[in-house]
């Protein structure tokens, strides 16, 4: 049985190809509802690892939400403390602050409202319009990071 602290849902089947298409478009400068290519150095190899992500903007702040749980990119970003967000030729270095579970509810609600059609299958016990209690129940298994500019001007590209 998977607990919320080790929850990690891997892409499978057609989803792998969907992710490849999204990544291809994002690498070529086409963002689908806020997609970016997340680049993070591997915590063991030190090599850049990339993954398409949905960049959430909520109340003027930006966040990375990991609906699949404690994935490789989550472990790598925790170790590295940041990475790069890429869209086409634009690259934005950033740092992150991981949020505690009690701060996640409004962000999870906003994330599910915007991308629920895409991520609902990862939360089969969650209704289309979850209550705060239901969101609080899944919060430990859904890491959320506030995205902050890296030292310097924060952008290049």
């Amino acid at each position: 049985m998977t607990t919320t602290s080790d929850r990690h849902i891997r892409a499978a089947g057609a989803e792998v190809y969907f992710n490849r298409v999204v990544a291809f478009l994002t690498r070529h400068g086409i963002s689908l509802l806020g997609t970016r290519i997340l680049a993070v150095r591997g915590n063991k190899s030190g090599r850049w690892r990339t993954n398409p992500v949905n960049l959430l903007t909520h109340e003027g702040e930006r966040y990375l939400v990991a609906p699949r749980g404690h994935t490789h990119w989550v472990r790598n970003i925790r170790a590295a403390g940041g990475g790069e967000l890429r869209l086409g030729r634009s690259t934005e270095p950033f740092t992150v602050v991981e949020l505690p579970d009690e701060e996640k509810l409004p962000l999870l609600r906003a994330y599910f409202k915007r991308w629920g059609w895409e991520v609902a299958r990862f939360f089969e016990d969650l209704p289309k319009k979850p209550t705060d209690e239901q969101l609080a129940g899944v919060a430990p298994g859904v890491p959320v990071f506030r995205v902050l500019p890296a030292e310097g001007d924060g952008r290049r590209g």
Side-chain angles (χ1 to χ4, degrees):
M1 179 176 184
T2 301
T3 65
T4 56
S5 63
D6 64 359
R7 181 178 167 275
H8 177 182
I9 300 169
R10 299 179 193 278
E15 189 173 11
V16 172
Y17 299 105
F18 175 76
N19 286 346
R20 287 182 186 164
V21 170
V22 170
F24 175 85
L25 293 171
T26 306
R27 281 190 191 96
H28 287 84
I30 300 169
S31 174
L32 304 173
L33 296 174
T35 57
R36 297 292 187 277
I37 297 297
L38 170 66
V40 181
R41 292 215 180 254
N43 62 356
K44 293 179 183 172
S45 71
R47 293 192 303 232
W48 285 105
R49 304 292 184 190
T50 60
N51 197 65
V53 294
N54 294 320
L55 181 63
L56 174 67
T57 301
H58 182 74
E59 296 183 355
E61 299 281 342
R62 297 178 320 149
Y63 300 90
L64 292 173
V65 177
R68 294 177 185 272
H70 301 270
T71 62
H72 293 293
W73 76 257
V74 168
R75 290 190 292 274
N76 288 339
I77 210 166
R78 284 175 176 148
E84 294 179 349
L85 290 171
R86 300 173 181 173
L87 178 61
R89 294 183 182 187
S90 177
T91 300
E92 177 190 355
F94 68 94
T95 61
V96 294
V97 174
E98 188 166 3
L99 301 183
D101 293 341
E102 59 272 9
E103 293 181 24
K104 294 178 185 178
L105 294 185
L107 302 166
L108 293 177
R109 186 167 306 290
Y111 192 86
F112 288 129
K113 183 176 181 183
R114 180 155 178 127
W115 291 291
W117 60 272
E118 180 184 351
V119 300
R121 66 185 169 279
F122 307 142
F123 302 93
E124 44 196 47
D125 295 335
L126 217 56
K128 190 171 183 173
K129 293 185 179 185
T131 66
D132 284 351
E133 287 176 345
Q134 290 167 322
L135 286 176
V138 300
V142 184
V144 177
F145 300 88
R146 181 177 290 115
V147 175
L148 303 168
E151 302 250 345
D153 68 5
R155 293 187 184 261
R156 71 178 197 268

